[in-house]
Amino acid sequence: MSTVPSRPGAAWQAYLLPLLMALVLLSLALAIFLGVVDLDPSDTLAALLGHGSPEARAIIIEIRLPRILTGMLAGIHFALAGLLLQSITRNPLADPSLMGVSQGAMLAVSGFLVFSVYSHDTGSTTLQELPVQWLPLVGTAGGLAAGGFIYLIAFRRDLGPLRITLCGIAVGAVLHAIGIGLMAGWGSGRLEVLLEWFAGSLYARGWQHALFLAPFTIAGLAILPVIRRPLELLRFDATVARSFGLSYQVQFSVVLLIACALAASAVGVVGPVVFVGLIVPHMARFLAGRHPPLVLPLTIALGAIVMTLADLAGRLVGGAEEIPIGVVTAICGVPLLVALLRKTP
Amino acid sequence: MLSCSNLSISYGPRKALDGFTISLAPGEIRALIGPNGSGKSTALQGLSGLIKPAEGTVLIDGAPIAAMTRREIAHRLSFLPQQPTAPDEMTVEQLVRQGRFAHVGLFRRYDRRDEDAIGWALESTGLAPLAQRSLSALSGGERQRAWISAALAQEAKILLLDEPTTFLDIGYQIEVLDLVHTLSRERGVTVVMAIHDLNQAMSICDRISLLEKGRVVFDGVAADLAASGLIERVFRVEGQFVQISPDGPPHFDVHLQRRQERRTSAATA
C-alpha cells in the first residue's frame, strides 16, 4: 500500500527555497552596494576583493559588511526564536518581547549603564566613555536571566503554554517598568545611546558584534535537526504529545532554552527589534502552505532577508540621520501582520 | 499484558482514583463505565503513565511503566484522550504521521514499514480519501476518526480510548465500535475504553469495570453486571435488563420519569 499522495502546489513550492536563498544573496549585494555614502560600484567591488581606495575599503569592509552580517545573524535569531516560541506556547502572537526576554535584556543594559556611569564618575556626558562594548554580553545575560526566571515560575506547577505566556507578559511588564524607571530623570546625552539601543538599531555595529552572535547562531542552527520532530509534537496538548512518545518537559525546556539564547543574544547586540520574531514565522508558514518541513528553512532565510532590507531602507530613507531598524520593522510590520492574519484560515 | 493494582491518584485533597485494580488479557476489550467524575479518565491516564500515581504500580508485560521512557511506553500503548486538539492547518495525513514518532524517533527516516502503517491506519478509519484535507475542514466525526487513525498508526498492542464515541452520530459510533472489535479479534489488540453508552459497552466488551467515586465497584462480564443491580444504584436510575436475543448481551432499558407518570395517571383514571 503506497501512501505517497499527490501534493497540490508542490511544483512551485519546490522552487521556494532556492528562490529565497537567491534573495538572501541579492539583499546582501544591495545592502553592500547602496548606502548614504555614494560609492562607485566598481570601487565597491574592488574594495570587496581587497583592492580599491582606502576610503572605499574602510566603508565597505569596516562599516557596511559587518553591519549587514550582524543584521542577518540577528534577523535569523529573532525569526527562529519567534518560530520556536510560537510553536511551544501554541500562541501565534508569541515573540521574544512577549516572553520577557527583551525586557530582561533592556533592564540589564540600563542597570549596567547607570551603575557604570555612577561608579566610574567620569563626570562626562559623552557617549564614548560609556562602556558600550559590554552591552551585548550584559543584554544577553539579562535576557537569559529573565527567560530562566519565567521558566522557573512556570515549571513549579506545570509547563502549561498559557501559564508560561502569562508569566512572560507579567514579568516583562515589571522588568520594563523598572528599566524605564532607572532612566527617569537621567537626562543628558547619555540617554541617547540607551534610546537608540531600545529602538533596536544596527548603527555602528562592527565585526565584534557579528563575532559575538556567530557562536549562538551556529549552535542554534546545529541543534535544529535534533528538535525538528519534537517541535512538531510540541504544538499539541502535553497529553497528546506524551502519548505519541515525546518526553514533553525535556523537549519543551530544550526548545525554550534555545529560543531564549537566540533572542537574548540578538537583543543584546541590536536591541529589541520588534515584529521580526513575530512576523517572519507567519510569512514562512504562509509561503510553506501545506509543506510544514519548509517552515523552518524559510524562517531562517526570511529572517536574514527582512532584517537586511529593513536596515537598508532605514539607511537610505533617513539620509544622514538614519532611521533605526526597529522603527522600520514596526512601521512595515503591522500592515503585513494584518494582511497575513486575514489570509490565514 | 496490562495490569495495575491498588492505583490511587489524587488531585489536591480529592482522591480521584482510590485503589484501582485491573488486569487485562491479550486481545481483551474492556469497558470503563461510571457516572461523570467517577474517575474513568483518571484511570486511563494513570494506566498510560501520564499521571504519576500516589500509590500503586502499572505493569506492561510485567515491567513497571514508571521505569519506561515515553517512547518505550508509546511503543506498547497508545492513548487517545478526550477531545484532543491539533494545530488547525495540520492535514489528516500529517496528524497520522505523528503517530509514528515512537518508531522513527528524532532522526530515522520514514521507511516502507512506517508508510504502510500510516496507509493502513488511514484505510481502516476510512480516511484515505481525506488524507490531504486539513483538520479544521473536517466534521466532528471525521476529526475523531483522524485521531483514532493516529493512535492506530502507533501500532501498539494496547489501545486506551477515552470516550471515543462521544459527539459522534450513531453511524460513526458503531463504526468506531466495529473498528475496535476488528482490532481486538484480528490484531490481538487489547482495548480499554471509557464509554457512556451502557448498552454499547455491554454489547462489545469482554468485561466491564464499573467505577463509583474513584473505586471499582464491579469487575466482570455483562450478564453478572445485569444481575448485580449496581447500575440502578450507581447511576440513580430505574430500569430493567432485558434479553433481546437469547445469545446476545443483555440490554438495559431505562424507565423515564415522564413515562412512569403517564402510566400512573392512566392507572388512576
Side-chain angles (χ1 to χ4, degrees):
Chain A
M1 197 169 354
S2 166
T3 51
V4 184
S6 61
R7 292 166 185 276
W12 70 271
Q13 252 131 352
Y15 298 107
L16 210 50
L17 212 48
L19 184 76
L20 279 183
M21 295 321 272
L23 262 179
V24 171
L25 294 178
L26 182 70
S27 60
L28 176 67
L30 276 177
I32 290 176
F33 282 91
L34 300 176
V36 179
V37 184
D38 254 327
L39 284 177
D40 197 54
S42 62
D43 224 13
T44 307
L45 204 59
L48 280 176
L49 297 171
H51 313 295
S53 64
E55 190 211 6
R57 269 221 299 275
I59 289 178
I60 299 300
I61 305 293
E62 293 307 319
I63 297 180
R64 278 192 202 163
L65 208 51
R67 173 186 184 142
I68 296 162
L69 286 179
T70 305
M72 281 190 159
L73 294 186
I76 292 172
H77 285 207
F78 282 124
L80 262 183
L83 179 72
L84 299 184
L85 290 175
Q86 287 171 17
S87 298
I88 62 172
T89 62
R90 282 180 268 148
N91 179 347
L93 292 178
D95 81 338
S97 63
L98 199 69
M99 297 302 298
V101 174
S102 300
Q103 291 89 332
M106 195 168 120
L107 175 58
V109 165
S110 50
F112 174 73
L113 286 180
V114 170
F115 176 77
S116 62
V117 164
Y118 288 109
S119 67
H120 289 81
D121 195 25
T122 53
S124 163
T125 54
T126 53
L127 306 183
Q128 282 72 17
E129 296 188 29
L130 285 171
V132 283
Q133 71 276 13
W134 288 99
L135 291 192
L137 200 61
V138 172
T140 306
L144 277 175
F149 182 62
I150 289 157
Y151 175 80
L152 281 182
I153 299 180
F155 193 72
R156 287 182 67 132
R157 294 290 297 276
D158 67 75
L159 281 171
L162 188 62
R163 188 187 303 270
I164 207 164
T165 309
L166 290 176
C167 281
I169 293 173
V171 171
V174 172
L175 295 179
H176 184 84
I178 301 175
I180 294 291
L182 274 180
M183 292 160 54
W186 203 43
S188 92
R190 290 172 194 135
L191 262 183
E192 246 174 68
V193 66
L194 256 186
L195 283 178
E196 179 223 80
W197 187 85
F198 281 178
S201 170
L202 280 169
Y203 177 73
R205 297 303 188 268
W207 285 111
Q208 75 274 23
H209 295 109
L211 286 177
F212 178 85
L213 286 179
F216 290 95
T217 322
I218 293 168
L221 292 180
I223 206 164
L224 284 185
V226 183
I227 61 165
R228 189 171 51 96
R229 280 181 187 151
L231 203 54
E232 280 276 296
L233 285 167
L234 284 168
R235 300 177 66 207
F236 292 90
D237 289 336
T239 313
V240 173
R242 294 177 70 205
S243 303
F244 280 143
L246 187 78
S247 309
Y248 190 85
Q249 291 199 332
V250 174
Q251 298 291 354
F252 188 100
S253 310
V254 167
V255 174
L256 185 69
L257 178 73
I258 298 167
C260 284
L262 287 173
S265 56
V267 173
V269 169
V270 303
V273 176
V274 286
F275 278 114
V276 175
L278 177 62
I279 288 178
V280 168
H282 284 283
M283 291 166 72
R285 257 185 235 117
F286 176 73
L287 287 174
R290 290 171 160 218
H291 305 269
L294 277 177
V295 173
L296 210 51
L298 287 183
T299 299
I300 297 168
L302 281 169
I305 295 170
V306 164
M307 198 78 169
T308 310
L309 292 182
D311 184 43
L312 181 63
R315 268 162 44 196
L316 293 180
V317 172
E321 288 291 320
E322 63 177 59
I323 302 172
I325 180 167
V327 178
V328 178
T329 55
I331 290 173
C332 301
V334 176
L336 197 59
L337 180 69
V338 173
L340 280 175
L341 288 181
R342 278 171 58 108
K343 290 248 170 77
T344 322
Chain B
M1 198 71 212
L2 175 67
S3 66
C4 73
S5 58
N6 263 323
L7 205 63
S8 292
I9 293 172
S10 306
Y11 298 126
R14 194 171 73 84
K15 248 190 172 174
L17 205 62
D18 190 0
F20 180 73
T21 300
I22 200 169
S23 174
L24 296 145
E28 174 181 347
I29 303 177
R30 171 78 63 128
L32 289 185
I33 59 171
N36 291 331
S38 59
K40 301 185 295 291
S41 292
T42 308
L44 288 176
Q45 294 194 37
L47 279 175
S48 50
L50 289 170
I51 304 181
K52 220 171 140 193
E55 291 164 46
T57 43
V58 178
L59 302 174
I60 298 183
D61 296 327
I65 206 169
M68 298 181 191
T69 64
R70 283 311 317 175
R71 257 188 84 192
E72 285 167 347
I73 296 170
H75 256 282
R76 298 166 175 82
L77 177 152
S78 84
F79 168 60
L80 181 56
Q82 223 176 103
Q83 292 188 53
T85 53
D88 273 346
E89 81 288 354
M90 190 167 264
T91 66
V92 173
E93 195 204 339
Q94 282 158 10
L95 172 63
V96 176
R97 292 184 89 81
Q98 306 300 331
R100 295 303 290 176
F101 177 73
H103 297 269
V104 295
L106 297 181
F107 302 110
R108 190 170 73 71
R109 282 178 163 278
Y110 284 73
D111 64 17
R112 182 91 211 163
R113 255 187 62 71
D114 299 306
E115 299 295 346
D116 284 351
I118 293 162
W120 166 74
L122 286 169
E123 290 288 342
S124 41
T125 46
L127 284 172
L130 302 181
Q132 300 307 315
R133 199 76 73 78
S134 67
L135 291 171
S136 53
L138 299 182
S139 72
E142 290 163 341
R143 202 170 307 143
Q144 178 69 340
R145 283 187 289 149
W147 279 101
I148 294 175
S149 184
L152 291 187
Q154 216 167 309
E155 286 191 312
K157 279 292 175 203
I158 302 165
L159 181 60
L160 307 187
L161 303 168
D162 196 352
E163 294 183 22
T165 52
T166 311
F167 302 115
L168 300 186
D169 67 39
I170 183 99
Y172 286 137
Q173 287 184 16
I174 300 306
E175 217 167 89
V176 168
L177 295 179
D178 280 342
L179 181 61
V180 164
H181 196 258
T182 314
L183 285 171
S184 137
R185 297 305 184 255
E186 287 177 12
R187 293 208 162 210
V189 174
T190 306
V191 183
V192 185
M193 72 179 149
I195 185 166
H196 271 304
D197 192 305
L198 190 57
N199 288 319
Q200 288 179 354
M202 289 191 295
S203 70
I204 189 179
C205 293
D206 298 309
R207 287 173 80 87
I208 295 175
S209 294
L210 173 61
L211 284 163
E212 185 190 26
K213 297 193 182 106
R215 295 176 155 276
V216 180
V217 292
F218 175 86
D219 180 336
V221 296
D224 293 344
L225 180 65
S228 70
L230 280 165
I231 292 296
E232 292 183 274
R233 182 177 73 71
V234 171
F235 288 96
R236 299 180 315 277
V237 290
E238 282 181 25
Q240 57 189 10
F241 284 89
V242 289
Q243 197 71 31
I244 293 174
S245 66
D247 54 346
H251 182 93
F252 185 68
D253 184 42
V254 198
H255 293 169
L256 293 178
Q257 190 74 43
R258 205 148 36 106
R259 205 165 54 183
Q260 250 167 355
E261 272 165 16
R262 208 180 302 142
R263 210 179 295 154
T264 30
S265 61
T268 46

